[in-house]
Amino acid sequence: MSQENVELARQAHDALNRRDLGAFLALMDANVEALPRVVAIEGGYHRHDGIRRWWEHLVDFLPDLVIETVAVRDLGDLTLAAVRIRGHGAGSDTPLEETLWSAAEWRDGKCVSRANHGTEAEALEAVGLRE
């Protein structure tokens, strides 16, 4: 099952790159919880309505966003993905490029929670693991 979760994580990133919200939501549990890296500013996003709001904010902020999946680690019911994001700010055309660590928990083929972190160590600690 865990290798299937790795593939599901990759599918989620692909759906973002294609701007296919329907495909992305199809991978999310109805009660999904998402915590962006700027959770202190934005707060979390809950359920499909929250994911839609997050999606709209992200695409409005970085309309040319591209996500490159660098690696996805299989941690059983969890996946830990290193993703490189690139894009330009909508209002300023300021370039953005950074690597994030996305931790996701999967149950029955659906993502039940996902959170982005600045480092691998932060992501592992957040899910109760250490390197």
Side-chain angles (χ1 to χ4, degrees):
M1 184 68 146
S2 55
Q3 189 58 37
E4 177 184 326
N5 293 340
V6 168
E7 179 55 32
L8 293 171
R10 290 182 185 281
Q11 288 176 23
H13 302 152
D14 289 342
L16 277 164
N17 282 333
R18 293 189 322 270
R19 303 297 187 271
D20 188 344
L21 177 58
F24 190 80
L25 287 174
L27 296 168
M28 302 294 123
D29 184 80
N31 293 311
V32 65
E33 179 179 9
L35 301 173
R37 188 157 171 238
V38 290
V39 69
I41 297 168
E42 294 182 6
Y45 294 92
H46 308 281
R47 307 179 63 84
H48 282 196
D49 287 344
I51 295 297
R52 282 185 191 92
R53 280 193 313 280
W54 167 79
W55 181 284
E56 290 168 4
H57 294 165
L58 183 64
V59 172
D60 285 349
F61 176 66
L62 295 167
D64 64 343
L65 173 70
V66 174
I67 298 173
E68 175 191 350
T69 305
V70 177
V72 182
R73 290 176 54 191
D74 169 9
L75 302 173
D77 290 341
L78 300 169
T79 55
L80 182 61
V83 295
R84 187 168 299 117
I85 62 171
R86 291 186 314 273
H88 294 85
S92 66
D93 203 35
T94 302
L96 171 72
E97 183 171 338
E98 71 176 321
T99 299
L100 298 176
W101 292 87
S102 182
E105 181 180 358
W106 302 88
R107 189 177 313 124
D108 299 324
K110 301 282 185 180
C111 180
V112 295
S113 69
R114 59 184 293 122
N116 292 327
H117 304 277
T119 68
E120 181 179 20
E122 289 172 4
L124 287 169
E125 185 174 333
V127 298
L129 301 173
R130 295 192 186 266
E131 285 190 276

